[in-house]
Amino acid sequence: MPVVNLTLALLLLAGPALAHGAGPLDADQILTAWAFTPEMLILSAAAIWIYMRGIYQRRLVKNPQPWWRHLLFFAGLTALFMALQSPIDPFAERSFTVHQIQHFLLRMVGPMLIALSRPEGTLVAGLPRSWRKSLLAPLGRSAVMQALGRAFQRPVVVFAIFVGSMYFWQIPPVHNLALLNAPLHYLMHITMLL
């Protein structure tokens, strides 16, 4: 019953939710409106480079990852890239529905595909040896990091964070504020992705 009461209270507080409210786009503008931003290009290129280097480094291991896991990783990266760099992004500024599709790609499709690929071994192998020895090894031995790792492997914890983040950003006043404030909107996308 407390969940029902909370749901009803949230519905009573809800107001209309906006998209960004930018002006209309012509059909030809939508198809050519690729929004390449340096941070996404650099992060995407770095992830691809590290992963490809990891594939190369692990080519001689006894049990290499199957090809379909690599495919899932790149499909997840593509979903994230499309959500933030393709015409979906400017169209999402004008349509609440497309904005929610963008969030679906950011929250569920991209992260789910990447998680299903289980890329951690390949990504670690793709990092420079000096980083693995000086940065990752001490972090892996840290009691705090081990405790955090165990906590984030619990389905209940991950589910609560996922659903909490999803609902928090969909509260209409919070959602509308994020749409009107560029740094807050960027934070919304980052937290949804994480």
Side-chain angles (χ1 to χ4, degrees), residues 4-21:
V4 172
N5 292 338
L6 177 61
T7 303
L8 290 174
L10 290 174
L11 285 173
L12 291 174
L13 293 173
L18 308 172
H20 289 270

Side-chain angles (χ1 to χ4, degrees), residues 76-87:
L77 276 182
T78 300
L80 298 177
F81 189 83
M82 293 300 287
L84 295 172
Q85 301 294 279
S86 78

Side-chain angles (χ1 to χ4, degrees), residues 24-105:
L25 281 179
D26 294 333
D28 61 329
Q29 289 175 311
I30 290 172
L31 298 178
T32 59
W34 288 80
F36 296 116
T37 57
E39 66 271 8
M40 274 305 295
L41 290 174
I42 291 168
L43 288 173
S44 298
I48 291 167
W49 180 77
I50 291 168
Y51 194 84
M52 293 301 291
R53 189 170 186 268
I55 290 173
Y56 178 76
Q57 296 288 357
R58 294 179 53 119
R59 71 191 182 285
L60 300 175
V61 297
K62 191 175 184 178
N63 294 319
Q65 281 189 329
W67 64 269
W68 57 267
R69 284 184 40 197
H70 302 309
L71 183 65
L72 288 174
F73 179 80
F74 289 114
L77 276 182
T78 300
L80 298 177
F81 189 83
M82 293 300 287
L84 295 172
Q85 301 294 279
S86 78
I88 291 172
D89 191 44
F91 192 40
E93 293 181 4
R94 291 147 176 94
S95 166
F96 183 74
T97 302
V98 176
H99 198 124
Q100 295 313 304
I101 291 168
Q102 180 187 40
H103 287 188
F104 180 68
L105 290 170

Side-chain angles (χ1 to χ4, degrees), residues 40 43 84 106 185-194:
M40 274 305 295
L43 288 173
L84 295 172
L106 282 173
H185 189 247
Y186 190 77
L187 177 66
M188 176 174 69
H189 283 183
I190 294 297
T191 58
M192 283 192 283
L193 177 60
L194 292 175

Side-chain angles (χ1 to χ4, degrees), residues 145-161:
M145 292 307 290
Q146 289 176 1
L148 282 173
R150 283 190 301 276
F152 284 110
Q153 289 177 0
R154 295 175 188 259
V156 171
V157 172
V158 175
F159 178 78
I161 292 170

